[in-house]
Amino acid sequence: MFNLIINLCEKHGFLRKIASSKLNSDQLKVGPIGTLLLHNLKKEWHYNFVTNKENTVFLADNGSFIEAFQFARNICMERLPFGIAEIQENKSELSKENIMCKEVDFNNYFSDEDKVNLKCSIFVSSVHSTQFFHQWQRQRRIWWRKFSPNPGRYSITDIKTDENNIQTVQIMATYPWNSQLVETILLYPKPKEAILEASKFKDGKKIVQSHCVVSNISLNAMFMNTICDAYDESTYKGKVRTLLRFHRKIAPYSITFAIFAEGVASNRSELKDLALYLTKQLRSNHLSTLLLPSSSKLPLQVQWRQYDELGVPYSVLLNERTLKDGLVLLRSRDTTLEEQVHVSELVAYMEQLFKNY
């Protein structure tokens, strides 16, 4: 099953092999469309951990955690809670505490220089740290389930406590071949030595000790998990239908166009011009839109199959009727159902679909 997924992704530009022998470590690179998927995953991580957090979270440059911590501590007037988010791209920064880089199978398909770790550390009062730790576990599991077509595959392991009293839980994704680690959450009862002297904070007239709750996510593992999670094979009209059920917020392309005109060539030319116009309108509204030159030349079913395998959530069918009454057919990848939308309302309608999760 896993090799089927790899082959599909190679075919459509999510991945590319750098060796032709048996699949093993250091053989995969991210392809052109995969680069868009990585960008969207990183953007959603940033939104959840930095932009949309109840607590203030500061984004640190790669390797500048201590400087970010000191800045956050000063600007928060030595009061808790606050957080530091990091995108660790330097191999030396992926320390022993990053359990993911050594244990997760998905990560083993990428070379060390390609590995990126997404880390967020939240500093909370020692009085509230345990409650926050358990609450964050639930929130993080909900986040993974929200983007999944198979929410039931995500589970949280039991808490493990080591000799340093560090508590660890892992969020796992279960597949037919095995379970994959997608996130590690840790509770540190005392801070690193580098910030030990600055680990005490004000709580009214009291001085409290800070604890730290940390989330570690391998971007490479999240990338591979997203593809495997979205992969689906189902029977449609007596034939096997292969597709990627990407959530509409992380799909590399949000919408694409199919052109079907059996009449005169001038109609096909007009529909191509209309598709180009709508593409510009959608892109100007920050909707990633795919318009292929072959969209007017391939049979309609071939176009649907290609777009489904690319994981595009919605496709717009432009046909000769569109030129008469302005109606287009908006096709859903997941249901294959088509709904009529007037061409003048398409952009606004698509904005609403992608505005909410």
Side-chain angles (χ1 to χ4, degrees):
M1 177 65 76
F2 185 68
N3 285 334
L4 287 175
I5 297 171
I6 295 294
N7 291 335
L8 176 70
C9 293
E10 284 186 77
K11 175 183 176 183
H12 291 289
F14 289 96
L15 299 167
R16 52 188 172 89
K17 279 190 181 181
I18 56 175
S20 57
S21 59
K22 184 179 179 181
L23 185 66
N24 55 40
S25 180
D26 298 349
Q27 281 196 281
L28 297 182
K29 293 284 185 179
V30 176
I33 298 181
T35 301
L36 290 175
L37 179 59
L38 274 174
H39 170 76
N40 290 345
L41 290 172
K42 193 184 296 185
K43 183 173 67 175
E44 287 302 322
W45 172 86
H46 183 278
Y47 176 77
N48 182 260
F49 278 95
V50 181
T51 307
N52 196 37
K53 209 69 183 156
E54 293 180 3
N55 307 313
T56 301
V57 176
F58 300 89
L59 186 62
D61 290 334
N62 190 29
S64 64
F65 175 84
I66 301 301
E67 292 86 346
F69 174 81
Q70 295 293 355
F71 172 82
R73 186 173 186 271
N74 292 334
I75 202 171
C76 292
M77 301 178 67
E78 301 181 10
R79 296 181 183 276
L80 298 169
F82 64 80
I84 308 293
E86 304 170 85
I87 300 175
Q88 299 176 328
E89 298 180 354
N90 187 335
K91 185 170 60 174
S92 64
E93 288 293 320
L94 304 181
S95 60
K96 292 182 180 179
E97 73 178 19
N98 184 11
I99 300 172
M100 298 210 51
C101 286
K102 293 189 176 181
E103 292 188 0
V104 67
D105 293 339
F106 282 148
N107 227 352
N108 294 334
Y109 291 102
F110 297 87
S111 58
D112 286 343
E113 58 266 24
D114 291 328
K115 292 176 181 176
V116 177
N117 188 53
L118 305 176
K119 180 178 179 180
C120 184
S121 305
I122 304 293
F123 295 89
V124 296
S125 167
S126 57
V127 178
H128 305 296
S129 61
T130 301
Q131 178 184 354
F132 185 87
F133 181 54
H134 289 283
Q135 181 182 355
W136 213 15
Q137 295 173 39
R138 293 191 294 271
Q139 290 177 349
R140 294 303 304 143
R141 184 184 180 218
I142 290 171
W143 187 83
W144 285 99
R145 290 166 62 96
K146 178 173 64 176
F147 291 103
S148 173
N150 304 284
R153 78 165 74 250
Y154 294 95
S155 60
I156 301 175
T157 63
D158 294 333
I159 297 175
K160 296 181 180 179
T161 305
D162 66 8
E163 64 277 7
N164 296 316
N165 206 28
I166 298 172
Q167 298 183 52
T168 303
V169 297
Q170 297 171 331
I171 299 179
M172 309 294 293
T174 303
Y175 291 97
W177 54 87
N178 61 13
S179 293
Q180 299 287 343
L181 173 63
V182 293
E183 183 173 356
T184 303
I185 304 173
L186 306 100
L187 172 60
Y188 289 90
K190 58 182 180 180
K192 299 178 180 178
E193 292 182 4
I195 61 173
L196 189 59
E197 295 181 0
S199 62
K200 293 184 179 180
F201 293 82
K202 298 176 182 178
D203 184 8
K205 295 182 179 180
K206 297 179 181 179
I207 300 297
V208 296
Q209 180 72 41
S210 68
H211 286 183
C212 186
V213 178
V214 177
S215 163
N216 271 320
I217 301 172
S218 164
L219 181 59
N220 305 87
M222 180 160 59
F223 171 79
M224 292 298 292
N225 177 74
T226 300
I227 292 174
C228 293
D229 190 20
Y231 183 86
D232 184 42
E233 289 180 350
S234 58
T235 303
Y236 178 70
K237 294 184 177 179
K239 296 182 179 180
V240 176
R241 177 174 173 248
T242 303
L243 70 157
L244 291 170
R245 296 186 185 274
F246 291 130
H247 189 281
R248 59 183 181 274
K249 293 295 289 188
I250 60 176
Y253 291 103
S254 305
I255 187 170
T256 188
F257 287 91
I259 297 174
F260 184 69
E262 296 181 310
V264 295
S266 59
N267 288 344
R268 189 177 294 109
S269 178
E270 284 188 59
L271 291 172
K272 289 171 65 176
D273 290 341
L274 177 59
L276 179 59
Y277 170 78
L278 291 172
T279 296
K280 291 180 178 179
Q281 292 294 310
L282 289 163
R283 288 175 179 172
S284 66
N285 285 274
H286 309 289
L287 290 173
S288 179
T289 308
L290 178 65
L291 178 61
L292 299 177
S294 59
S295 58
S296 62
K297 299 177 181 179
L298 296 175
L300 195 55
Q301 293 305 316
V302 174
Q303 295 185 59
W304 292 153
R305 183 170 66 249
Q306 182 180 28
Y307 299 148
D308 289 346
E309 291 178 354
L310 286 171
V312 185
Y314 297 99
S315 302
V316 177
L317 173 60
L318 304 177
N319 53 27
E320 290 167 330
R321 182 183 175 183
T322 306
L323 300 175
K324 296 179 182 179
D325 52 23
L327 292 176
V328 302
L329 292 176
L330 182 63
R331 177 185 181 270
S332 167
R333 172 204 62 205
D334 295 334
T335 65
T336 71
L337 298 178
E338 300 170 354
E339 60 176 312
Q340 290 185 349
V341 181
H342 196 274
V343 68
S344 63
E345 300 173 351
L346 179 66
V347 175
Y349 185 63
M350 295 307 301
E351 274 191 296
Q352 283 299 118
L353 283 177
F354 285 88
K355 182 177 180 181
N356 301 313
Y357 284 66

